[in-house]
Amino acid sequence: MKALVVEKAADRSLQDLNFVKVLVPTSAEHEGLIKVHSPVDYKIIEGVVSAWPYPHVLGLDVAGEIVSVGKEVTTWHVADRVSGHGDLTKNSCFAEYVIAPPYELVKIPASVFPVKSLPGIYVGL
């Protein structure tokens, strides 16, 4: 898949970002895999996050559709539309897919366009 990544810790500007091919992440038993429709938060690179692995896939807030779930996930199902607020220290949603545990997600109603659901995640979580 394609992902927008920070290649190394010294990269601190938007010009340092690169689209690269990375593996689709594999979800653990307690996580789901989400096909990303709307990533946000591209300005995160301007901060300093010492816990990032490199190369690092940016992002924090996401809207998308669940394409698989681990055996322990009972609250979400394939094809559920969700918004989520991720963990800043992990690879995230500036990619075609991202993994997330159920507690980071809220359902997007059918009547809501995915990107318009993002402000509501803070209320839902």
Side-chain angles (χ1 to χ4, degrees), residues 42-95:
Y42 68 90
K43 293 191 68 106
I44 290 173
I45 190 175
E46 294 175 350
V48 176
V49 181
S50 61
W52 280 355
Y54 290 96
H56 181 72
V57 180
L58 287 177
L60 189 59
D61 296 335
V62 65
E65 178 182 332
I66 295 179
V67 294
S68 71
V69 294
K71 292 179 185 177
E72 296 175 13
V73 177
T74 59
T75 53
W76 299 108
H77 303 91
V78 172
D80 283 348
R81 293 173 358 123
V82 294
S83 288
H85 182 73
D87 181 340
L88 187 60
T89 65
K90 296 182 180 176
N91 284 326
S92 195
C93 59
F94 270 43

Side-chain angles (χ1 to χ4, degrees), residues 15 17 39 50 64 75 79 83 89 95 100 103 111 123-124:
Q15 292 75 24
L17 297 176
S50 61
T75 53
S83 288
T89 65
Y103 61 83
S111 62
V123 174

